[in-house]
Amino acid sequence: MQKLAIMNEKGGVGKSALATQLSFYAALKRNLKVLVIDLDQQCNTSKCIENSGLFHVAEITAGALLLNGDSFSASDKPTLIKGDKLLSRLESMGPEKAKEVIGNFYRALSALNPHYDLCVIDTNPSPDVRAMAALCIANYAISPVQLNQEAIDGVVQLYENIRRVSVYNPELTFMGLLPNMVLNTPFQRANFRDLMQSFGQILLKDGNGRFLSIPHRTAVSEAQSECRPVWTGEKSTALKTWTEIKGVFEAILEKMKMAEQDQGEAL
C-alpha cells in the first residue's frame, strides 16, 4: 500500500478538495483499493466522501485510531476513516505522547497494508503531532499551495519540516508543491514566477518536466458541496474542469508508480 500525505501548515489551500477528488479518481477511475484517513477535526474530507455514498465508512474514527490504537476490519470497497473531535486533543500533546500516537498509526496501517493499494491522508493545517505522524508513515507527500505571498512565505518552513522527518523516514519522497485554485491574473502570474524562481526544484512536474497546477474553477467547489466526483457534473464546465485536472491526478499516481495498476474505468 502506497501512502500519500497531503499537507500544508496553512488552511484554505484546497487540501480537502485535492484529497477528496484524487481519492474518487483513484477508486472509481483507476479501480484502486483506496483508504482515506482524515486527520483534520473540521472533517471536510470526511463529510464529502461519506455523503457521496461511494465509500465504505469504517467503524472507527481517526481520533480513536491515533489516540487509542483502535483497529478495524478491512473492506473490499474504498474505505473512509472519518475525522472527529478527538483529533483536537493532539494539538497540545508533548513528545512522549507523540511517540505513542505515531506507533498507533504505524501499527494500524501495517495491518491494513495487504488490503489496500493507496492510502490518502488529509492532514490538518496546524503543525502538531498529526502532521508529524503522517510524514513518519507516508511514502509520499504533496503540498497544495495558493499563489499568494503568505503561502509562499510558508514554503520554507514546510519544506524544512519534511526534510527533517525524512531523516527518520527514509522512504518518504516529497513529490512537490502543487499550485492550487490558480487564477489567471497578473498578480498570481507574478507570484507563480516568484515561486518558480525560488522553489522551482520542488514544484510538482509531470513526466515531461512541465509544471503542474490546478486552476480555480467553480465546478470543483460545486462538486465538493454536492459530495460527488467533479466529472459527474451535468454542466459542460464540469467536463472541461475534469479535463484540466485529470492530468494532475494521473501524474501523481504515475509518480507513486501506481498507473500500471489501471484496470479500466469503473465509472
Side-chain angles (χ1 to χ4, degrees):
M1 177 173 66
Q2 301 281 37
K3 298 173 285 294
L4 172 66
I6 298 177
M7 61 187 312
N8 192 313
E9 294 179 3
K10 292 189 175 294
V13 298
K15 290 193 306 297
S16 295
L18 177 59
T20 300
Q21 295 299 327
L22 176 61
S23 298
F24 283 151
Y25 171 71
L28 304 174
K29 292 284 191 181
R30 291 292 188 179
N31 294 297
L32 296 170
K33 296 177 181 177
V34 178
L35 173 66
V36 179
I37 303 176
D38 189 356
L39 298 185
D40 190 345
Q41 68 265 27
Q42 295 184 45
C43 304
N44 292 325
T45 294
S46 300
K47 293 170 187 173
C48 187
I49 291 182
E50 181 177 21
N51 291 334
S52 75
L54 297 169
F55 276 50
H56 166 72
V57 179
E59 60 269 24
I60 66 165
T61 62
L65 187 153
L66 266 62
L67 283 164
N68 306 325
D70 289 2
S71 60
F72 73 100
S73 300
S75 171
D76 58 357
K77 298 179 180 179
T79 301
L80 166 69
I81 299 180
K82 297 195 300 183
D84 63 349
K85 297 303 180 183
L86 280 174
L87 291 167
S88 60
R89 295 185 187 177
L90 297 165
E91 292 179 342
S92 58
M93 289 185 172
E96 289 305 315
K97 188 63 178 180
K99 291 180 182 178
E100 180 182 333
V101 166
I102 294 170
N104 289 339
F105 204 11
Y106 178 82
R107 285 186 292 273
L109 290 192
S110 295
L112 295 169
N113 190 62
H115 303 286
Y116 296 95
D117 301 312
L118 171 65
C119 176
V120 176
I121 307 168
D122 185 18
T123 62
N124 56 306
S126 55
D128 58 35
V129 65
R130 286 170 284 178
M132 179 70 71
L135 288 176
C136 286
I137 296 301
N139 307 102
Y140 296 90
I142 189 170
S143 179
V145 60
Q146 281 193 287
L147 294 179
N148 56 49
Q149 194 58 50
E150 292 81 8
I152 292 173
D153 289 343
V155 166
V156 174
Q157 185 59 51
L158 171 71
Y159 188 55
E160 175 59 25
N161 289 345
I162 292 172
R163 188 200 62 78
R164 188 170 65 249
V165 172
S166 66
V167 174
Y168 304 98
N169 178 11
E171 294 184 2
L172 177 64
T173 297
F174 182 50
M175 298 173 68
L177 304 170
L178 176 62
N180 196 22
M181 300 185 287
V182 176
L183 293 166
N184 187 19
T185 64
F187 174 75
Q188 291 217 347
R189 287 197 295 271
N191 277 341
F192 188 57
R193 287 193 295 270
D194 290 344
L195 194 65
M196 285 194 297
Q197 198 168 48
S198 300
F199 304 104
Q201 74 280 11
I202 57 171
L203 280 169
L204 185 68
K205 305 177 185 70
D206 65 14
N208 296 315
R210 292 175 297 210
F211 293 115
L212 295 172
S213 64
I214 296 178
H216 184 280
R217 296 289 183 262
T218 57
V220 175
S221 55
E222 287 174 355
Q224 289 297 107
S225 65
E226 295 169 7
C227 305
R228 58 171 175 78
V230 67
W231 67 82
T232 62
E234 296 180 1
K235 300 178 182 178
S236 61
T237 52
L239 181 59
K240 180 182 178 182
T241 299
W242 175 239
T243 301
E244 291 175 325
I245 66 177
K246 180 182 177 183
V248 176
F249 294 167
E250 288 176 337
I252 291 172
L253 292 186
E254 182 178 354
K255 288 179 179 295
M256 296 179 72
K257 302 177 177 62
M258 305 200 74
E260 65 273 14
Q261 297 187 38
D262 184 9
Q263 301 171 14
E265 294 190 355
L267 181 63

